[in-house]
Amino acid sequence: MKKICVIEGDGIGKEVVPAAIKVLDEVGDFEYIYAEAGLECLKKYGDAIPDETIEKAKECDAVLFGAITSPKPTEYKGKYRSPILTLRKELNLYANVRPINDFKNIDLVIIRENTEDVYVGREYYDEEKEIAIAERVISKKGSERIIKFAFEYAINNNRKKVSCIHKANVLRITDGLFLRIFNEIGEKYKDKIDYDDYLVDATAMYLVKSPEMFDVIVTTNLFGDILSDEASALIGGLGLAPSANIGDEYGLFEPVHGSAPDIAGKGIANPIATILSAAMMLDYFGMKEKGNKIRNAVKRVLEKGKVTPDLGGNLKTSEVVDEIIKELRGYSRVR
């Protein structure tokens, strides 16, 4: 039996994660180990992600993560550490995988390096010069492993092309390194899969104008973060956008959306991104058939328009879950 570390977090995380667990329980038997993280945890324990939570995550087969509310920059100075960034670092989750799929016409995957770039948090303010400076870290090792991951993902999932997104015409050293390594690795895979590259600003336009141009995108941390949020608008918004954080030993699965404190507790949060993230977790476990069963049930519910207000519907979170479960039960149960 697979053991899942469950971190609901803050806001609607406490609503969408239990929703996903109800769906998971329809397709298999799992052991759930609950842990705390987020702003409420910070107020309670003085730490947004206690060491106990990190240890629980390491003891499980995967982590199902909800959403957290970050404190204001003026609050908890020196005492706050981002739970998701901490887990990515502690578990060495270097690959962020974000599928963009509307179950009709759009079907692409954005694979983003997850541990480097400006997200290393090395920034400072020069009082004398009145300049704020952030370091951008792009390493040979980090670039090689995310690019190889992207090509292997493409091959294993019957994809046709990998596109490198960069800004090497301006960031000649950092993105220059990333692009050079991409081309070197691409040459080794050229008999199995096509590859090309685009500037990030042009890609932002192409995603809106012609998303069918792309299949698998691989890029650096910041660019991937921005482009994946942009691309989610093509399929109905962040409420439909799942993601996986994957390393050599661990996997963490979470919806792309935030904690949405404005609607928390109202019972109208869209649970589909979290449910699709749980399906990605099943893929990670080698339970692809069960993952597909969930995705197909979600597809049918979307086609019938049985959705929450963010998608133009009028159903509650729990009602959407009930509809997905009805669809699951309409087919032979997979065990």
Side-chain angles (χ1 to χ4, degrees):
M1 182 184 296
K2 294 295 185 181
K3 188 185 295 185
I4 301 169
C5 179
V6 178
I7 303 174
E8 295 178 351
D10 302 307
I12 62 171
K14 297 183 180 298
E15 301 168 53
V16 295
V17 170
I21 287 175
K22 285 187 69 175
V23 174
L24 281 172
D25 287 340
E26 285 294 313
V27 298
D29 297 310
F30 305 96
E31 180 182 356
Y32 304 108
I33 306 299
Y34 287 81
E36 295 181 81
L39 184 59
E40 290 185 23
C41 183
L42 175 61
K43 293 176 179 178
K44 187 176 178 181
Y45 301 112
D47 193 344
I49 179 162
D51 291 339
E52 181 183 357
T53 295
I54 297 171
E55 290 308 310
K56 284 183 178 180
K58 290 180 178 180
E59 292 168 1
C60 292
D61 296 299
V63 179
L64 182 61
F65 193 93
I68 58 99
T69 302
S70 300
K72 297 177 181 178
T74 55
E75 298 177 327
Y76 301 99
K77 287 185 177 180
K79 297 181 179 179
Y80 178 74
R81 53 177 179 168
S82 164
I84 192 63
L85 293 182
T86 299
L87 283 170
R88 287 172 180 170
K89 180 179 179 181
E90 289 287 336
L91 304 181
N92 196 24
L93 305 174
Y94 59 84
N96 186 280
V97 182
R98 296 189 176 183
I100 305 297
N101 188 339
D102 66 354
F103 299 104
K104 292 181 291 185
N105 304 312
I106 298 172
D107 182 16
L108 61 96
V109 180
I110 297 177
I111 295 177
R112 149 192 170 203
E113 201 290 319
N114 217 17
T115 62
E116 299 186 336
D117 207 345
V118 292
Y119 285 30
V120 296
R122 298 178 193 170
E123 55 180 355
Y124 64 93
Y125 183 70
D126 187 318
E127 296 281 355
E128 183 178 342
K129 297 181 180 179
E130 296 184 312
I131 298 174
I133 297 174
E135 291 185 21
R136 185 171 195 249
V137 178
I138 306 293
S139 72
K140 182 175 184 289
K141 177 183 176 182
S143 299
E144 285 178 341
R145 67 183 181 181
I146 193 62
I147 292 166
K148 287 179 181 177
F149 181 97
F151 275 97
E152 289 296 325
Y153 178 94
I155 291 169
N156 292 334
N157 289 276
N158 299 313
R159 297 281 176 166
K160 294 180 173 61
K161 184 179 73 167
V162 179
S163 300
C164 175
I165 308 305
H166 61 91
K167 192 64 177 173
N169 60 327
V170 175
L171 303 171
R172 294 180 179 273
I173 296 177
T174 51
D175 269 19
L177 173 64
F178 194 82
L179 179 59
R180 176 173 61 80
I181 292 173
F182 174 80
N183 285 326
E184 290 173 356
I185 293 174
E187 274 296 299
K188 297 177 181 179
Y189 282 90
K190 66 180 181 181
D191 293 334
K192 297 180 180 180
I193 196 161
D194 293 334
Y195 69 98
D196 57 16
D197 69 277
Y198 298 90
L199 295 174
V200 64
D201 42 351
T203 300
M205 176 188 69
Y206 294 144
L207 277 174
V208 174
K209 185 179 179 183
S210 306
E212 69 278 359
M213 289 173 54
F214 301 103
D215 194 348
V216 173
I217 283 173
V218 63
T219 189
T220 51
N221 207 340
L222 179 61
F223 293 162
D225 194 2
I226 295 169
L227 291 175
S228 57
D229 277 19
E230 177 198 13
S232 72
L234 299 172
I235 60 172
L238 295 177
L240 296 178
S243 76
N245 299 269
I246 298 174
D248 293 330
E249 298 182 54
Y250 301 101
L252 181 151
F253 303 83
E254 59 169 337
V256 175
H257 63 67
S259 61
D262 56 323
I263 63 168
K266 295 182 180 179
I268 59 172
N270 188 344
I272 290 178
T274 312
I275 291 168
L276 292 175
S277 297
M280 294 182 75
M281 182 173 64
L282 295 178
D283 297 343
Y284 175 76
F285 287 157
M287 302 175 182
K288 186 83 171 180
E289 185 180 359
K290 294 181 179 182
N292 285 338
K293 187 180 181 187
I294 290 175
R295 281 183 282 267
N296 288 333
V298 167
K299 177 183 178 181
R300 291 191 292 271
V301 166
L302 290 172
E303 288 172 344
K304 293 176 180 179
K306 295 181 177 180
V307 293
T308 44
D310 60 302
L311 297 179
N314 57 9
L315 296 191
K316 297 283 190 179
T317 306
S318 60
E319 292 172 330
V320 172
V321 174
D322 290 342
E323 292 297 331
I324 292 172
I325 289 175
K326 285 179 186 177
E327 295 293 342
L328 287 170
R329 291 178 179 176
Y331 290 75
S332 59
R333 190 162 183 171
V334 179
R335 282 291 183 183

